[in-house]
Amino acid sequence: MSSYEASKLYRIRHSAAHIMAQAMLERFPEAKIAIGPPIEEGFYYDFDLPRPITEEDLQWVENRMKEIMRGDHPFVCREATPDEARKLFKDQPYKLELINDLVNGRVDDNGNPIAEPAERITLYTQDSFTDLCRGPHVENTHDINPDAVSITFKMPAGAYWRGDENREQLTRIYGTAWETPEELQDYLHRLEEAKRRDHRLVGEKLGLFTFSPLVGKGLPLWKPKGALLRDTLERWLRQVQLDNGYQPVVTPHIGNLNLYKTSGHYPYYKDSQYAPIQIDEEEFLLKPMNCPHHIMIYKSELRSYRDLPIRYAEFGTVYRYEQSGELHGLTRVRGFTVDDAHLFVTQEQLLKEFMDAVRIIQYVFNTLGLTDFRARVGIRDPQSEKYVGNSELWDKAAGIIIQACRELNLPHVVEEGEAAFYGPKLDFIIRDTLKREWQLGTVQVDYTLPERFELEYVSEENTRERPVMIHRAPFGSMERFIGILIEHFNGAFPVWLSPVQAVMIPITDRHIEYAESVAAQLRAAGIRVEVDGSKARMGAKIATAREQNIPYMLIVGDRDAAAGTVSVRLRTDEDLGAMPLAQFIEMAKGIIESKSLALN
Amino acid sequence: MSSYEASKLYRIRHSAAHIMAQAMLERFPEAKIAIGPPIEEGFYYDFDLPRPITEEDLQWVENRMKEIMRGDHPFVCREATPDEARKLFKDQPYKLELINDLVNGRVDDNGNPIAEPAERITLYTQDSFTDLCRGPHVENTHDINPDAVSITFKMPAGAYWRGDENREQLTRIYGTAWETPEELQDYLHRLEEAKRRDHRLVGEKLGLFTFSPLVGKGLPLWKPKGALLRDTLERWLRQVQLDNGYQPVVTPHIGNLNLYKTSGHYPYYKDSQYAPIQIDEEEFLLKPMNCPHHIMIYKSELRSYRDLPIRYAEFGTVYRYEQSGELHGLTRVRGFTVDDAHLFVTQEQLLKEFMDAVRIIQYVFNTLGLTDFRARVGIRDPQSEKYVGNSELWDKAAGIIIQACRELNLPHVVEEGEAAFYGPKLDFIIRDTLKREWQLGTVQVDYTLPERFELEYVSEENTRERPVMIHRAPFGSMERFIGILIEHFNGAFPVWLSPVQAVMIPITDRHIEYAESVAAQLRAAGIRVEVDGSKARMGAKIATAREQNIPYMLIVGDRDAAAGTVSVRLRTDEDLGAMPLAQFIEMAKGIIESKSLALN
């Protein structure tokens, strides 16, 4: 049971879902009810309704829910035989199907597979409503604050019974519930803010990227400003990696199917790979992973212990299948570039190299101000068969990861089932400014691929030994990472990442020449600058620059031209007044070179 | 007729081929003779032989050829009816087949298609040998200098009659012939040198790239030193392009098949494309060209005349099918990265933008010391149907290209059939140090794709106008270009391109510490340096560094450590003696920053 499932909030939401079902049945007595679980930040319930739901219905239901919550209705649990349950739900076909599945040991009342057939069915009742349910719930409906609850309906809901598009289409009503009205308001505010910050909108507004149906769904086209942002991030990390002894390599975007059969990526990840391409007598895959390519570079020479550690880095673009309904801007795409590296190390080097890889990730996140993160050690689920390799090595690898966390004083949780198929890993989970969690950087220990590819090095004693591999990526995917950065910063990137760092705003046409000469000096100093020489008025130019989140607006008029100054206005609307050009350049260069999050 | 076909050398080689056939028939009276054309730098003749040819046979034939050349045998031309010719060649089945084809108007005596059936057959005779032939020849066998002729046989010849692998396999004997023995010696020397400089050998020796059958044929894996060389070239050109107003973009490596149907790349280039990949209901191609992707970025916004010219640049990797027998190291691959750019310009901007694009190419080649180049204006072959678009626009585009050449004082030749399918182009053909020609940079004018994609911009008069496109690539393909550079420089790259620019050679172990401290200072100055801390002796360390073509060997011993100097030896073996470290750094930085071809 996760900590969320054990929380009061979980019980509140679970109970609110039942209350919503009660209110809905009062509004639509002929409605057929399906399932209604708590979810992250709320709950939902699926209904088969006799007619489309209206805004009025929704308002009625929400009001009625609050009324029930203000009442005094305990949640009462009892057990029933399957036959008693079937009688109780005789007009509810979805419930009858669930009861049959419970009895036959197929799925539980939330639709999840279960192992053991149920002999007794658990029921929960509040007020006039009873549901199939294993709980837990709050004790009484009045334990839920009615002012901390809200429900919504979004078209198109597209919820199918059991998620099966061949079954009945249901109406899903979402709700959210919190402990206090303040928490609800905060949540609704974050929702609004997330909508406003949606990287697809902001990316469009800032001209960062675009999609074209003629190129293909989920395949972003990076426009000049986005390509510049992306390249700036890439060159920065590349340099950090060079400084840490990484060596860039370049490999093709396709590979023989046998390469992935050897690695085990095929058929393990067959469903997320594109169909093979036939070339002469061979089959090729669009590269789903970079590791096998880097392994073949390792294998191209006989390696000695003196050569290790070897650290191959590549911003390698990989292609994976996603259903078109799952695609979402930059954060869920069909082709993305991993800031990948593969380290080949001796057993003795493993701990230090692992810790150094973690330090790079910490440095990267700290530089970007992503300081609210937690670490998760993902180990295999011992029940699952998707993991390869022997359990002794799995334990050894997990031990190294946990030891590294301890030595780095890195708070971490261990979670089963979160490993890669070839070994355990450490993931960094970031909370952005909207408190949303994103899994980003990862460092993984791998004894399996060296075994499968029979990697070797010659030891000091002249024996053949097997290296260990570390897979790691601080950003994870350039596309997804930039999508998250856009939302985190709401498009107002740190100056060093801003595609345009300064805009010259001449007050009238006769100041354009001076503006151009200042721009030339800024460019010579390595500052990315544009001149707004349009016919618009100054106020409109400032509004445009603010809209584009350009860090510095340099307004120039007669006095500036005469004195060699610029009047500096920040995108935060702070006015720094006139300053000598040299002073501005020094300030801006300092901010850019230090990768500061501040503007001055 | 090309200038080569009109040359004396062409006639010498054509005649030498006949003389070789005569000598071969004297050695192998039962031999069946096929065809024997002049080729670039020589000639060949194909034979159907009763037994495998030996080194002894070859020597005999070459000696006999020289004897014939020393004799006095005029080349006599005469015409015959088809029947006379058939009688003459009654024992030569290949010739009989050629006669039939000539009479039926299918192919000429060199196997090329012809339009008109022949009523008379042309024959050439020297001494005892007569061949089907349209000439031209030298007047007399003694016009060929026997000391300027050489023949070779290379296994596996793999020549099929008519190039059809279902027909008879023939023995192809190659020969070369020149006007003077000195020219022959020079040619043989260049051949030897080319073998020694083969980029596949040099690339292996320098650790630049590798191939893996498990990744796939023709798909290079760039090892760290090669990736560094490649990135250095790329970053340089990228900066040159940024300085010239180009904007980098990034696009995916696949695209919907409809994109290429719209562009016309499919089905025109179907044979050089991989089979489409099915994704859901759509078909995708591995990107064979970057242009359609850039066009979709152009189309993502409504463009105004104020936005033009737009110059999108991408080091874009494309994939094209090559038969496995055609693959050759880096110069003939199945995936390569084009230093691509597409300019969208108004008709008024076209000439200037075209000239500016040419200037960048000239600058790139001059910087690399590739100063021996010629320009070729490729226009369409009016007979061919592979070209699209109306002829008025083709003429207009060709006119612009020729005008640009004139204004740039660029000597050029105009050749039919060398255009892209969408428009005429200017190609730069480089002669490397071995006088081999390579087609590299290209600049192309295109009215066709803007038409097919219905590109528009809003003019100053608020009308919708169609932009013109310029396609251009100075390197052409990064892979091929680097292959050529490796051979041109024989692996001794200019210092700025050298993966390792300096190697520290401590005389004994006790100098390693000083060597490391010097290396740290060099690294801080941006110089790529390695320390040879191996157990090898100094002489061996120097030999290794020479082998690796490292520009600077910095030998350090007691005196250097005491005085803060380095003893500088160049890869040319020149010894610059001891110099203060600061002086070396200044010298090396100057050479690197100026991209000098010199070492000091």
Side-chain angles (χ1 to χ4, degrees), chain B residues 152-171:
Chain B
T152 50
F153 171 69
K154 285 177 300 220
M155 278 294 284
Y160 292 95
W161 169 235
R162 302 234 146 136
D164 178 348
E165 57 186 74
N166 298 314
R167 301 293 304 270
E168 295 82 349
Q169 193 170 357
L170 306 171
T171 300

Side-chain angles (χ1 to χ4, degrees), chain B residues 106-163:
Chain B
R106 284 209 296 269
V107 292
D108 69 11
D109 44 348
N110 281 334
N112 300 315
I114 51 173
E116 292 292 314
E119 286 173 16
R120 310 284 294 171
I121 306 279
T122 318
L123 305 172
Y124 265 91
T125 303
Q126 91 276 2
D127 195 9
S128 62
F129 178 80
T130 296
D131 206 348
L132 284 181
C133 178
R134 284 179 312 165
H137 284 281
V138 292
E139 296 209 347
N140 192 297
T141 59
H142 63 48
D143 291 340
I144 307 177
N145 185 331
D147 296 329
V149 175
S150 156
I151 65 171
T152 50
F153 171 69
K154 285 177 300 220
M155 278 294 284
Y160 292 95
W161 169 235
R162 302 234 146 136

Side-chain angles (χ1 to χ4, degrees), chain A residues 214-215 217 222-224 227 231 235 238 248-250 253 255-256 259 274 279-280 300-301 319 321 334, chain B residues 214-215 217 222-224 227 231 235 238 248-250 253 256 259 274 279-280 282 284 300-301 319 321 334:
Chain A
L214 207 47
V215 170
K217 295 186 196 102
W222 292 83
K223 296 166 78 165
D231 188 63
R235 295 312 287 184
R238 191 176 192 279
V249 295
V250 178
H253 304 96
N256 193 299
L259 183 67
Y274 294 106
I279 303 180
D280 296 341
S300 71
E301 292 177 31
Y319 290 86
Y321 176 69
R334 284 179 168 171
Chain B
L214 207 48
V215 171
K217 297 187 195 102
W222 291 83
K223 296 166 78 165
D231 187 64
R235 294 314 287 185
R238 190 176 193 280
V249 295
V250 178
H253 303 97
N256 192 299
L259 183 66
Y274 295 106
I279 303 180
D280 297 341
E282 301 173 274
F284 286 77
S300 71
E301 292 177 29
Y319 290 86
Y321 177 69
R334 283 179 169 172

Side-chain angles (χ1 to χ4, degrees), chain B residues 244-257:
Chain B
N244 282 275
Y246 287 64
Q247 298 180 306
V249 295
V250 178
T251 67
H253 303 97
I254 56 176
N256 192 299
L257 190 58

Side-chain angles (χ1 to χ4, degrees), chain B residues 287-476:
Chain B
K287 178 165 71 171
M289 293 272 183
N290 297 304
C291 16
H293 285 67
H294 294 184
I295 286 172
M296 295 323 289
I297 295 182
Y298 179 92
K299 267 179 88 89
S300 71
E301 292 177 29
L302 177 62
R303 307 292 176 174
S304 143
Y305 71 96
R306 281 189 226 93
D307 303 328
L308 270 43
I310 284 174
R311 309 176 192 92
Y312 290 145
E314 179 173 29
F315 290 84
T317 306
V318 296
Y319 290 86
R320 302 203 194 144
Y321 177 69
E322 297 273 358
Q323 292 184 9
S324 67
E326 302 285 320
L327 297 171
H328 183 84
L330 294 181
T331 51
R332 201 79 178 264
V333 290
R334 283 179 169 172
F336 56 93
T337 302
V338 182
D339 54 327
D340 226 342
H342 296 96
L343 286 67
F344 302 84
V345 307
T346 67
Q347 181 61 40
E348 294 68 43
Q349 294 164 338
L350 179 58
L351 179 63
K352 176 179 181 303
E353 289 295 323
F354 190 92
M355 285 169 61
D356 286 348
V358 171
R359 284 193 190 100
I360 289 178
I361 294 183
Q362 290 176 310
Y363 167 75
V364 164
F365 289 171
N366 283 327
T367 303
L368 291 166
L370 298 168
T371 46
D372 185 4
F373 57 77
R374 63 189 181 87
R376 178 182 66 202
V377 179
I379 58 173
R380 67 181 167 165
D381 173 359
Q383 309 295 323
S384 167
E385 289 183 4
K386 77 169 192 176
Y387 304 98
V388 296
N390 80 57
S391 65
E392 193 189 325
L393 289 177
W394 273 85
D395 293 346
K396 195 156 119 185
I400 290 281
I401 295 177
I402 290 167
Q403 190 185 345
C405 288
R406 287 200 187 119
E407 297 204 12
L408 289 162
N409 281 321
L410 187 67
H412 58 279
V413 294
V414 176
E415 283 184 29
E416 278 185 359
E418 294 289 345
F421 81 87
Y422 45 69
K425 62 187 178 127
L426 181 68
D427 289 322
F428 284 82
I429 294 152
I430 296 282
R431 294 225 303 177
D432 68 10
T433 40
L434 299 183
K435 309 214 181 305
R436 294 172 303 180
E437 288 199 334
W438 300 97
Q439 183 196 313
L440 293 174
T442 184
V443 190
Q444 313 173 357
V445 176
D446 177 9
Y447 286 94
T448 302
L449 293 185
E451 197 75 35
R452 283 178 167 257
F453 281 95
E454 301 178 343
L455 302 187
E456 286 183 340
Y457 66 90
V458 179
S459 76
E460 201 160 358
E461 292 74 34
N462 212 26
T463 56
R464 299 293 172 106
E465 304 294 335
R466 188 132 293 165
V468 191
M469 278 178 72
I470 297 174
H471 306 238
R472 46 104 277 169
F475 300 151

